[in-house]
Amino acid sequence: MRKGTLECCVDSVESALAAERGGADRLELCGGLVIGGTTPSPCLFQEIRAQSEIRIHVLIRPRFGDFCYSENEVSVMCREIALFRELGAEAVVIGALSADGSLDLAAMERMLDAAKGMDVTLHRAFDVAKDPFETLETAAELGINTILTSGQHQNCLEGKEMLKELRKRAAGRVDILAGAGIDAAAIRELAPYTGIASFHMSGKITLPSRMEYRREGINMGLPSMSEFEIWQTDERKVREARNALDACV
């Protein structure tokens, strides 16, 4: 029986199946991974579920940008949570902040009520919260199962001191899921140093578009991104991470 947990963040059927083949324990399913992830299509969830029995945690995020949400956005998120619960998702990945950088308790409680019966992860809104230790305690009081975090740094290795302290303070009440820059090498460094045994990765590679005709100079979104590149999870990278985790815990 595996002792560690490897979660893979994916936004396509191809990535989901590659993650499963590589040895991921579960998926964080999202849309638009290139912008940090948004709520995925219910049809994407259903297609993955039709082809795999892997555990799926669904990201609920209505847009790119900050985590300070309007009343309308919270209402949409609650309806999305209820929808994915009905579709059979095992967990949702949520988060909302108040303008002062603390958890938005009213929004969180509404979403948690919508998620009743499901596991819940607090996503990387945690990493831009004002006080990580206060936020940890609030999350534990709310009954949140997992916190996804880079230790409030740009990547997990820069945040390893904070990750170590968070795991210590969590004391088993909340699982600390290390993310941002996770690969086999990061796991080999972080697992023994921090005591963390749960890791979140995308394992993505850039694939060329199959388009032969290419009209240059037109972007459908961010001008810095090519329209002729596809980001996809690499089975080999996931397998390397899986092997590293199995060797460390």
Side-chain angles (χ1 to χ4, degrees):
M1 182 177 179
R2 292 172 174 170
K3 296 181 180 179
T5 298
L6 184 63
E7 176 179 279
C8 200
C9 186
V10 303
D11 62 359
S12 69
V13 177
E14 290 79 9
S15 286
L17 298 179
E20 183 178 32
R21 291 193 303 268
D25 296 290
R26 68 185 187 221
L27 307 177
E28 183 196 281
L29 182 63
C30 67
L33 185 54
V34 70
I35 54 171
T38 55
T39 306
S41 157
C43 293
L44 175 60
F45 173 90
Q46 290 174 310
E47 186 63 29
I48 293 170
R49 179 53 74 230
Q51 297 193 42
S52 170
E53 295 182 357
I54 193 169
R55 184 178 177 90
I56 302 177
H57 293 200
V58 178
L59 175 66
I60 305 296
R61 185 184 180 209
R63 56 166 171 77
F64 170 79
D66 66 33
F67 303 104
C68 189
Y69 295 117
S70 70
E71 176 67 23
N72 290 332
E73 289 171 327
V74 174
S75 293
V76 169
M77 289 191 289
C78 288
R79 291 178 64 183
E80 288 173 331
I81 291 167
L83 172 60
F84 282 107
R85 186 186 71 229
E86 292 173 5
L87 290 176
E90 286 82 2
V92 286
V93 183
I94 62 174
L97 298 178
S98 298
D100 65 359
S102 62
L103 278 183
D104 182 340
L105 288 178
M108 291 297 296
E109 287 171 352
R110 285 180 61 189
M111 289 190 282
L112 287 165
D113 184 62
K116 54 193 171 192
M118 307 173 79
D119 286 342
V120 174
T121 294
L122 171 60
H123 59 45
R124 291 189 65 207
F126 179 90
D127 283 329
V128 292
K130 185 175 181 180
D131 186 326
F133 304 127
E134 178 182 294
T135 305
L136 168 64
E137 292 304 319
T138 303
E141 291 169 6
L142 288 171
I144 288 170
N145 306 95
T146 302
I147 294 174
L148 169 61
T149 174
S150 60
Q152 292 206 324
H153 284 73
Q154 185 63 25
N155 66 66
C156 57
L157 294 178
E158 292 175 3
K160 69 178 184 179
E161 298 296 340
M162 176 63 74
L163 288 169
K164 183 177 182 179
E165 184 64 21
L166 288 169
R167 188 205 62 81
K168 178 181 176 182
R169 294 194 185 211
R173 296 172 298 158
V174 181
D175 186 37
I176 302 300
L177 175 64
I182 293 296
D183 58 13
I187 290 172
R188 284 192 289 267
E189 180 172 346
L190 289 174
Y193 185 79
T194 65
I196 288 172
S198 298
F199 294 91
H200 168 99
M201 69 181 299
S202 64
K204 60 182 176 293
I205 56 173
T206 304
L207 301 175
S209 167
R210 293 183 290 112
M211 286 293 297
E212 296 177 2
Y213 172 75
R214 301 187 177 194
R215 181 178 293 279
E216 302 291 350
I218 298 177
N219 292 85
M220 301 299 159
L222 298 173
S224 60
M225 302 300 299
S226 170
E227 300 295 333
F228 302 107
E229 293 180 348
I230 307 296
W231 287 15
Q232 191 167 298
T233 297
D234 181 50
E235 178 183 342
R236 177 185 57 82
K237 286 188 176 184
V238 178
R239 185 175 295 108
E240 288 173 352
R242 172 83 264 164
N243 291 339
L245 182 56
D246 289 345
C248 289
V249 298

